Amino acid sequence: MEDSWNMSELMLSDVLVSNVYNQFFHQNQNLFKDKIVLDVGCRSGLLSILAVEAGAVKVFAIGNMRSAKCIAKVLGNGERAEIFEPLNGCITQIILPCGLRKVDIIVSEWMGHALFADSLFCQVLYARDKWLIKNGFIFPSVANLYIQGISLNRELLVDKNVLIMEDYVNRQSLITEKCLLKSIDLTSIKDDIEFQKADFKMKALRNGTMSACLLYFDICATNGKGQLQKLFSIGPEAPKTYMMQTILFLKEDALVVAEQQILFGRLSMILGYFAPRGVEFSLGIWLAK
C-alpha cells in the first residue's frame, strides 16, 4: 500500500488544510491522550505527528514508508520517537505488535479525487473492521460529495476528447444549483463499496449551455464535544486546497438549459476493493419535460 510521494508533498505544502488539522488536534487533545492510534496510508505523515503531539501513547503507521522515515527524523531520538512505529507491508498481512488486537483511533488522509479515485477509502474500512475498538474514533470521518452543472468551453482544451479532468472551476462557470450526491460516515458505512450510485436533480441558475458536471466534497469530523465539525471544502466557494475538483464532460453536445429548469441525472462509480485508483465513472443527464 505504498502511496505516492508526490501527493504527500502536495499535502504538506497545503497550509490551509495543515492548519485546519493542527487546530483540530490542538483543540481536541482529550480525544487522543493515552490512546493507541493507527495512521492508514501515512500519506504526508502530518496526522501521525499531530497524534503524537496530542498525547497518544502509541502511533502505528501503515503505508508510505518514505513519509514514515521523515516522521522519525522530525520526532528525533527522545520519548516521542518511541511512540511512533511504522508497520511495513500490505495492510491485509500486517499484525499489530506486542500482541495488540485493537486500536482506539484511526487517522487517515484517505480522500481522493471525486472522493473515491486515488483514495484510501477501502483500506480505512478494512482497518476499521479489523482493528478499531467498538465506538472507536476515525479522523476525518464524514465526507459530503456534491455535483453541480457547469458551462465550460471545450474548445479551450488541448485534448478535445478528454472526458474527465482535474481543475478548479470559478463561480462564473456554475450553471446549476449544487446537489448532495452522498454523505459518508466512515464509522458506520456498510454500503457495497465496489459500486456507488446516486440519482440526483439540479435546478438551472440561468440560461445557457451545460457542458460538464463538477464533483467536489467537504470533509468533517466529530470533535471532543461530540459535535460534527466542518474541516474544509474543495467547492467553488472555498479557498483552493491540494485536492482538485473533478470535471466530468458530457459525451454528447452541451445541453441548452433555461433558468429554473430541472435537470435529472445518475452518477455511478465502480471501484475495486484494493485498487481504488481504478475508478470508472458513468454519468447520465436529461432535462425534465
Side-chain angles (χ1 to χ4, degrees):
M1 198 181 72
E2 189 71 17
D3 213 340
S4 168
W5 180 248
N6 290 334
M7 177 170 280
S8 301
E9 290 183 309
L10 288 173
M11 291 175 177
L12 286 173
S13 64
D14 191 326
V15 176
L16 186 150
V17 175
S18 296
N19 285 343
V20 166
Y21 286 159
N22 184 66
Q23 186 178 40
F24 184 91
F25 276 74
H26 179 73
Q27 294 177 347
N28 298 277
Q29 293 186 45
N30 59 306
L31 290 174
F32 299 91
K33 184 172 176 55
D34 299 327
K35 296 297 194 298
I36 299 174
V37 178
L38 178 65
D39 185 344
V40 176
C42 192
R43 278 182 154 168
S44 71
L46 177 61
L47 298 187
S48 282
I49 293 174
L50 292 176
V52 171
E53 293 179 345
V57 69
K58 195 69 181 178
V59 177
F60 298 112
I62 302 173
N64 194 329
M65 291 299 102
R66 188 170 178 182
S67 286
K69 291 179 181 178
C70 293
I71 296 170
K73 290 181 180 179
V74 170
L75 296 177
N77 299 314
E79 293 181 1
R80 294 197 312 166
E82 297 179 358
I83 296 173
F84 177 75
E85 183 175 346
L87 304 177
N88 198 5
C90 177
I91 189 172
T92 58
Q93 299 172 343
I94 283 174
I95 299 175
L96 297 180
C98 306
L100 289 172
R101 294 183 177 274
K102 297 292 180 179
V103 300
D104 301 299
I105 296 172
I106 290 175
V107 298
S108 178
E109 295 163 294
W110 61 272
M111 300 78 67
H113 304 292
L115 206 55
F116 296 105
D118 196 27
S119 80
L120 298 175
F121 172 73
C122 298
Q123 285 83 345
V124 171
L125 295 193
Y126 179 90
R128 178 199 69 182
D129 295 341
K130 186 172 184 178
W131 291 304
L132 190 63
I133 63 170
K134 186 177 180 179
N135 299 320
F137 180 66
I138 300 178
F139 176 85
S141 59
V142 175
N144 298 308
L145 180 64
Y146 298 94
I147 191 168
Q148 195 160 6
I150 57 176
S151 179
L152 288 180
N153 187 353
R154 293 193 65 173
E155 297 301 318
L156 299 178
L157 298 178
V158 175
D159 183 359
K160 305 297 188 301
N161 296 316
V162 66
L163 292 178
I164 302 176
M165 63 179 290
E166 307 293 334
D167 204 346
Y168 245 92
V169 171
N170 58 41
R171 295 171 59 185
Q172 287 69 36
S173 298
L174 302 177
I175 199 166
T176 74
E177 296 177 341
K178 70 178 181 180
C179 177
L180 176 64
L181 283 176
K182 196 171 187 66
S183 185
I184 298 166
D185 186 343
L186 294 183
T187 62
S188 59
I189 186 171
K190 290 180 170 51
D191 289 2
D192 181 357
I193 60 176
E194 294 183 0
F195 184 69
Q196 301 286 341
K197 180 178 71 174
D199 294 326
F200 60 90
K201 67 177 181 178
M202 305 180 294
K203 182 187 295 185
L205 296 170
R206 55 185 172 86
N207 298 334
T209 57
M210 192 182 86
S211 55
C213 282
L214 181 69
L215 298 179
Y216 59 90
F217 55 81
D218 55 40
I219 298 299
C220 310
T222 303
N223 60 29
K225 298 179 180 179
Q227 302 166 330
L228 191 62
Q229 176 180 333
K230 184 176 177 180
L231 300 175
F232 66 90
S233 171
I234 64 166
E237 309 287 340
K240 289 185 179 181
T241 73
Y242 73 92
M243 294 295 303
M244 303 293 279
Q245 299 159 353
T246 301
I247 300 171
L248 303 179
F249 284 97
L250 305 181
K251 282 186 177 181
E252 309 299 332
D253 294 336
L255 291 174
V256 178
V257 299
E259 184 178 355
Q260 299 296 309
Q261 189 171 17
I262 302 297
L263 296 88
F264 293 92
R266 170 173 292 178
L267 177 71
S268 301
M269 290 179 283
I270 302 174
L271 59 156
Y273 193 87
F274 285 109
R277 290 162 176 77
V279 174
E280 295 182 10
F281 293 95
S282 176
L283 175 66
I285 299 282
W286 58 92
L287 298 174
K289 295 182 180 179

